[in-house]
Every structure is written in structure tokens, then in C-alpha cells.
């Protein structure tokens, strides 16, 4: 069994932000979720343990519960120091775990291939750390700031995470550090104190740690660079429903006051139906009728906003996430402008994308056709989706 510990309880004081840095959005999803998805995409990993601040445990649990397909996980309360957080996580690590990896949750660009290499190294050498060669010359100085030594650059490496260990060795290292009152800067330093040699595995300079605001800019650029042109796909959706008496008018998950509502098996939210069809079309996965047939009683009266979340999960299972949405509602009445902002907010929240990635408009047909005669409402939607490098395949 391979267990991964992700310490995520740090305050990130250098971010100049009141929000925990692992909650900061990066390409439309929190930094923490990028890390969790990367490890979940590694076939050798069995389970995850996230150490969160006591005040943020509930937030992290809710965040993880909203992500489909991730490996089995649990959240523990972290400590005032990174080392204490990992010690708490070790207390709940399964006894069957043979290899334990520790990874800074604030390193969201780690790749599954690197994780696999670390697991192999841990099994062979018992202790391994991901690292990159130092590019710059390093100087050792005295207390007055004068150079006392210039270490050979070829012998200097910068440590990263994950670091991977034989489970028994890591447990022993933490127990010894606890008895000695020793506080290390990484897990390898604790293992080294036992006399165990740590094998370095070359990582990547793109495996950046989010520490300062500049790191977010760097990570965004690296993620954008990693998305190839053929990773972007487009789909179009169209839907129409008849206006009838005795039904609520639901558009974009918002109840709009009106004398008529839309007729349909579900809540007949014509806007969300068009968007869902566009999402499925972009991924070449059919339409909503195929996935949620109106002959199935479980979908009678169901919220289309709820089904939007299910469509998000469906395209995610094929490696896609929504990039942006442009939709138009065609209705003579009622006036929809006061409700469009809430519609956009509903859609963005359900799809876990930025609100500025969603555009909803409303227009009339100047009295022409079924919409102009107030017999029904139609909606058009164009959606772009993109391959998500971190999403579960």
C-alpha cells in the first residue's frame, strides 16, 4: 500500500493574503485540488491524508467531497509546524502502508510520472527525495557577511517534494525527532539523523511551490504552456420548451416570477439544458436525453442545476473541464435582466469555474415565431472545454 500525506495547514504569510495559499484559485480550481488530482492520477497511490488547520478541516472536506474520482482520502488536524502536521497524519496512516510519500500541498504542478518514479526509488533505496540541480553559485558567509566558502555547485541540489520513504523508517524518524525535540525543514532531514542515506531523484524546475504572489503567476504560465492547441474543443447546444400554466419558470437555476412556466419532465430549465448539451457535444458524448432520459422516473421534476453538476462529472471522467460558456435565452416575456447575474453565479459555482468564464444574454424575436407569440422559450449555448492535465483519466 502507498499512502500520500499532504500537509496543507500552513498560513502562507508571504502571500500577503488572508486566505490559505492552498485555497487560492489556479486555472479555475484551488491549488490543493491540483495536488490531490495529480496523486489520484498515479496508479500506484492507494490513499491520501490531508493535514489541515483546525479551523479549515470542514472547508477541506467539503472541497474534496465535490471532486469526483479522487483516491480514498481523510482529513486530519494539522499542527503549528509542518512537522507536527505530518506527525498527526502518521497517527492515522494505515498499518498496511509500505511506502509513505509526503508532498507539500502548495506544489500543484507535480506530475504523476514523477510520483511513480519516487515510489520506485523508495522501494529500492528505502528513502528518496525529489530534487533539482542548483543553477546558481552558492556562497557560505560568516556573521559579518563575508564569504568563507564557495561549495562546488555540482554537489548542490534544491530539495522538492514529494519525498518517499519505507513506512517503518519514516515512522521511526518521526518518533526519534519527537524524543529529541528536533525540528527539521523537511522529512529527509529527519531520516538522515537515523543514518539512512537518502537517494535524490531528479525532478523538474516546473514543480514550483506556491510561496509568494509571483509563484501564482509562474504556475499559471506553466499550466497554460502545458495545454496544447488540440486540447480545446467546442460544442453547441439548443433547447426549447413550451410555456404552460401551473409550472414555475426556472432559468439558470433561478426561479423567475411569471404567470407561466416551462413544461418538461425535469424542471424544464431551457438555459441549462442547452448548456449541458453543448458540454456533452464538445466532448462527443451525446446529449442529455441519452444520459438522463425523460422516460426515467428518477429525473421527473429534478433540478437541472443538479444535473449540470453530473454533466461536469461526465466530461471530467473523459479528462475535460469547461473553459467558457456563452449562452442566449430567447423569450418575449418576462424581462430577464434582473436575474441574469444570479444565473451566471449558479452556473459558475456548479461547474467550479470563474464567474467571468460564463456569459448569459437574453433577447426577444420582436414578436415573431413561437417565442414572439409567448408560446415558449428557447436557448442557445456555445461551450468550450479543454483537456485538464490534472483531471482523473
Amino acid at each position: 500500500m502507498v499512502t500520500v500525506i499532504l500537509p496543507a495547514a500552513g498560513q502562507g504569510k508571504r502571500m500577503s493574503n488572508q486566505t490559505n495559499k492552498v485555497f487560492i484559485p489556479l486555472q479555475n480550481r484551488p491549488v490543493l485540488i491540483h495536488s490531490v488530482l495529480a496523486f489520484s492520477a498515479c496508479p500506484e497511490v492507494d490513499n491520501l491524508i490531508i493535514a489541515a488547520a483546525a479551523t479549515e478541516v470542514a472547508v477541506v472536506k467539503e472541497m474534496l467531497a465535490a471532486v469526483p474520482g479522487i483516491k480514498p482520502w481523510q482529513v486530519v488536524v494539522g499542527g503549528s509546524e509542518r512537522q507536527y502536521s505530518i506527525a498527526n497524519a502518521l497517527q492515522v496512516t494505515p498499518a498496511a502502508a509500505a511506502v509513505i510519500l509526503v508532498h507539500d500541498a502548495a506544489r500543484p504542478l507535480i506530475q504523476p510520472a514523477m510520483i511513480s518514479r519516487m515510489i520506485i526509488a523508495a522501494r529500492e533505496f528505502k528513502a528518496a527525495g525529489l530534487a533539482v540541480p542548483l543553477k546558481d553559485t552558492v556562497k557560505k558567509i560568516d556573521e559579518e557577511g563575508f564569504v568563507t566558502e564557495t561549495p562546488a555547485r555540482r554537489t548542490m541540489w534544491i530539495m522538492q517534494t514529494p519525498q518517499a520513504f519505507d513506512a517503518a523508517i519514516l515512522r521511526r524518524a518521526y518518533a526519534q525527532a519527537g524524543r529529541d525535540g528536533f525540528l527539521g525543514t523537511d522529512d529527509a532531514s529527519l531520516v538522515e539523523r537515523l543514518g539512512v542515506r537518502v537517494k535524490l531523484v531528479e525532478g523538474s524546475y516546473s514543480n514550483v511551490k506556491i510561496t509568494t504572489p509571483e509563484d501564482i503567476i509562474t504556475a499559471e504560465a506553466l499550466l497554460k504552456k502545458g495545454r496544447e492547441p488540440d486540447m480545446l474543443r467546442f460544442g453547441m447546444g439548443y433547447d426549447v420548451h413550451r410555456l404552460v400554466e401551473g409550472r414555475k419558470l426556472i432559468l439558470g437555476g433561478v426561479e423567475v416570477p411569471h404567470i407561466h412556466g416551462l413544461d418538461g419532465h425535469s424542471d424544464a430549465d431551457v438555459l441549462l439544458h442547452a448548456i449541458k448539451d453543448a458540454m456533452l457535444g464538445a466532448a462527443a458524448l451525446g446529449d442529455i436525453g441519452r444520459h438522463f432520459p425523460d422516460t426515467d422516473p428518477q429525473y421527473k421534476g429534478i433540478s437541472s442545476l443538479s444535473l449540470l453538476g453530473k454533466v461536469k462529472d461526465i466530461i471530467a471522467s473523459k479528462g475535460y473541464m469547461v473553459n467558457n460558456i456563452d449562452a442566449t435565452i430567447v423569450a418575449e416575456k418576462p424581462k430577464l435582466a434582473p436575474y441574469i447575474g444570479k444565473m451566471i453565479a449558479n452556473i459558475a459555482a456548479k461547474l467550479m469555474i470563474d464567474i467571468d468564464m460564463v456569459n448569459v444574454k437574453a433577447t426577444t424575436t420582436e414578436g415573431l415565431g413561437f417565442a414572439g407569440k409567448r408560446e415558449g422559450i428557447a436557448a442557445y449555448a456555445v461551450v468550450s472545454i479543454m483537456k485538464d492535465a490534472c483531471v482523473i483519466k
Side-chain angles (χ1 to χ4, degrees), residues 62-363:
E62 182 178 0
M63 190 179 293
L64 293 170
V67 182
I70 62 177
K71 294 291 177 73
W73 55 269
Q74 61 180 311
V75 180
V76 300
V77 176
S80 58
E81 298 286 346
R82 178 184 185 277
Q83 186 170 316
Y84 303 151
S85 293
I86 297 166
N88 290 351
L90 284 173
Q91 296 299 314
V92 300
T93 300
V99 173
I100 299 174
L101 280 74
V102 181
H103 181 71
D104 297 324
R107 288 189 188 271
L109 304 188
I110 184 65
Q111 294 297 312
M114 289 184 188
I115 299 167
S116 294
R117 284 161 52 199
M118 290 304 300
I119 294 170
I120 292 170
R123 286 174 173 153
E124 181 177 357
F125 302 105
K126 304 302 181 184
L130 202 64
V132 290
L134 189 66
K135 294 180 179 180
D136 301 316
T137 297
V138 172
K139 301 288 185 179
K140 188 175 181 180
I141 63 172
D142 60 21
E143 293 181 358
E144 296 178 343
F146 290 97
V147 174
T148 61
E149 184 183 349
T150 303
R153 188 169 59 189
R154 61 181 175 78
T155 66
M156 308 295 288
W157 286 59
I158 300 171
M159 292 300 293
Q160 298 182 335
T161 63
Q163 295 178 4
F165 308 93
D166 174 89
I169 289 175
L170 187 63
R171 291 181 189 278
R172 186 154 54 93
Y174 265 82
Q176 187 65 52
R179 288 191 292 269
D180 297 343
F182 175 80
L183 195 62
T185 55
D186 71 348
D187 306 283
S189 63
L190 273 62
V191 170
E192 291 161 22
R193 296 180 72 244
L194 300 179
V196 176
R197 297 205 305 168
V198 177
K199 175 69 173 178
L200 292 191
V201 176
E202 186 164 358
S204 170
Y205 294 102
S206 66
N207 184 24
V208 296
K209 184 177 181 180
I210 305 300
T211 305
T212 66
E214 292 76 17
D215 296 327
I216 287 288
I217 297 172
T218 299
E220 289 274 5
L222 288 168
L223 279 174
K224 184 177 181 180
K225 182 180 178 181
R227 298 190 188 281
E228 301 172 4
D230 63 355
M231 296 173 82
L232 194 64
R233 302 175 62 155
F234 296 86
M236 178 180 174
Y238 171 77
D239 196 35
V240 59
H241 283 273
R242 183 185 301 276
L243 284 165
V244 296
E245 294 182 351
R247 292 270 296 188
K248 294 179 180 179
L249 178 58
I250 308 295
L251 293 170
V254 178
E255 184 176 338
V256 179
H258 193 48
I259 57 174
H260 295 123
L262 293 171
D263 190 25
H265 186 66
S266 64
D267 63 4
D269 190 327
V270 68
L271 171 61
L272 295 188
H273 287 191
I275 290 173
K276 288 180 288 189
D277 266 348
M279 290 167 60
L280 291 167
L285 293 172
D287 59 15
I288 55 175
R290 184 170 114 189
H291 296 275
F292 316 107
D294 60 10
T295 55
D296 192 331
Q298 69 174 309
Y299 301 122
K300 184 171 180 59
I302 194 169
S303 163
S304 293
L305 197 60
S306 173
L307 293 181
L308 182 65
K310 294 183 182 296
V311 173
K312 174 181 75 71
D313 295 345
I314 290 170
I315 69 168
S317 71
K318 300 298 181 181
Y320 294 103
M321 64 178 289
V322 172
N323 181 50
N324 79 299
I325 297 169
D326 184 31
T328 302
I329 305 169
V330 183
E332 201 71 21
K333 292 287 183 181
K335 291 292 184 181
L336 298 176
Y339 309 100
I340 284 179
K342 179 59 177 173
M343 295 179 198
I344 291 173
N346 284 346
I347 295 166
K350 183 59 68 172
L351 295 177
M352 295 177 65
I353 61 177
D354 289 343
I355 199 166
D356 59 2
M357 293 292 101
V358 181
N359 187 56
V360 175
K361 312 178 295 294
T363 188

Side-chain angles (χ1 to χ4, degrees), residues 8-11 20 23 50-61 75-81 85 88:
Q11 296 181 8
N20 185 333
F23 299 154
I50 297 90
T55 57
E56 295 171 344
V57 167
V59 174
V60 171
K61 286 183 176 179
V75 180
V76 300
V77 176
S80 58
E81 298 286 346
S85 293
N88 290 351

